[in-house]
Amino acid sequence: MYHKNLVYIIAMIAATGGLLFGFDTGVISGAIPFFQKDFGIDNSMIELVTASGLIGAILGALFCGKAVDRFGRKKIILASAVVFALGALWSGFAPDIYNLILSRLFLGVAIGVSSFTVPLYIAEISPARSRGKLVSMFQLMITIGILCSYMSDLLFANEQDVTCWCPMFYVGVIPAVILLAGMSFMPESPRWLMSKGREDEGRVILSLIEPDESLDDTFYQIKKDIREDSKNSSNWKELFQPWLKAPLIIAVGIMFFQQFVGINTVICYSPKIFLMAGFDGAVSAIGASVGVGIINVIFTIVSVYFVDRLGRRKLYFVGLGGIVISLVLLSTVFLLMNQLGEIGKWMSILFVFIYVAFYAISIGPLGWLIVSEIFPQYIRGLGSSLGSLSVWFFNTIVSFTFFKILRLLSIPGRELVIDGERLGNPAGVFFFYGMIAVLGLIWGYYFIPETKGLSLEKIEQHWKKRGKPRDLGK
C-alpha cells in the first residue's frame, strides 16, 4: 500500500551516508592547525594527509562499481557505515602522522563508496516528480555533516592542548552507527531487485513508494528496460558505447567543474584561509569556518526547494555565474589585503560566504543528482561509480595543489604571514578557479541536461535516440 511520506523517510536515512561524507571531509580542516603542531609537519605534509583521504575515496569509487550492481545498494551502504566507524576510531587514535595518513586513506574508501551508492539508491527509490528534491537531500546532508564537523572542531579546539584534534575525529563514530542501524530496516532498491529477477519483491516495494495511479506504468516500464538491457553486459567497456557518449561526458565534465571551481580548498583549508585573511589564532579561524558551514546548509536547502521547480539548467547557470563574480571579488580583496587592513578581513569572509552560497544552490548538489539520473539501469552502478571516481580524482588534484598553486601564482610583494611563516597570497589561485568557472558556463550550455520531471527510463530512451544533452526535457 502506498505511503506518501515513506520515500522521504528512506531518503533521509540513506542520506546519513552524505552526512558522514561531509563530516569526514570537513573535520580535517579544524584538526589541521593542531596536529600540524603536534607532529611538527609542514604544509606539504598537510596536503598529503588531506589527499590520502581523497585517494581512498578514488579507490572506493573505482572498485565498488561492480559490487553495487552485484550485491545491491543496501548492502554496500551498510558496509560503508562499518568502515566509517572503524576509520573514525583509527584517525583519532593515530599515534603518528603515518598512522593518520593510513587511517584517512581507509576512511576515504567509505567516503568514495557512499558518494555514489547513496545518491544512486535514492534516485532508484524516488518517484520522478520528486527525484531531484530527494537526491539533493544527499548534498544537503553533506553540508550538514560539514557544519557538524566545524562545530565539533570548535567545541574541542584548545590552543593550550595540541592533542585536541583526537576527539574531533572520534565524533564521526556517532553518525556511522546511526547509518548502520537505520539502513538495516530500509528496503532494497526496487529497480535493482527487478534487474535480478526478483520482480515480486520489487513490485511490493514500488507499491509503497509509487502512487497507485502510476504504479503499473512504472513497473512495466522498468521491466521493459531491464529486458532490453539484459542483452548487454555490465562492465566498464559498456560505458564507452557510442550512444552513451553524452552521459559519459556529462558525468566526468560536471564533476570536473564541481571540484575545479575550488570548493574543497575552502572546505578543507578554511581556517588557513581565514588566518591568511587576518584572523588571530586557530580557534577564531575555526569559528569563522562555522559560518561557511551554516551558509552551505542554508543555501543547499534553497537548492532542494527549487531543483524540481526551476530545473537543473537554470540553477546551474545562476550558480556558476555567481561563483565567477564572487571568486573574482575575493581575489581582488586578497590582492589588496595589505591596503584594506581590518576591513579586508571582513570582506574576505563576505565573499567566501557568497561563493559558498552560489556553489550550494547549483553545482554542489547538481553534480551528484545529474550523475545518478543519466545512465541506464544495467550500468547505473558503474556510471555512478565513474562520476564518483572523477570527483575524487579531481578533488585530490585540487586539494593537493592548493598551496603549490598559491605560491606559483603569488605576486611578489603581496605575500601574507601566518605565525611567522611567510606564505604566498591566495589572490592568484582564487582568480584561477574563477576562470575555470567561466569555462564551466560555456561547457554547461552544451552539456547540462534538463532532467526535471523525467523518469529514468525516458532519459535512457533519449540517449538511445542520440539526443543532445541540452534538448533533453524539451
Side-chain angles (χ1 to χ4, degrees), residues 283-329:
V283 174
S284 62
I286 293 171
S289 300
V290 171
V292 170
I294 293 171
I295 293 294
N296 205 3
V297 170
I298 291 172
F299 282 90
T300 301
I301 293 172
V302 173
S303 179
V304 170
Y305 179 80
F306 282 111
V307 70
D308 283 323
R309 289 172 171 83
L310 295 180
R312 285 55 159 164
R313 281 180 68 88
K314 287 181 181 178
L315 283 181
Y316 180 89
F317 290 115
V318 168
L320 261 288
I323 286 171
V324 170
I325 295 169
S326 56
L327 281 174
V328 170
L329 291 173

Side-chain angles (χ1 to χ4, degrees), residues 436-453:
I436 291 178
V438 172
L439 295 177
L441 287 170
I442 298 170
W443 176 85
Y445 173 77
Y446 295 100
F447 288 103
I448 291 297
E450 184 50 79
T451 54
K452 180 184 71 171

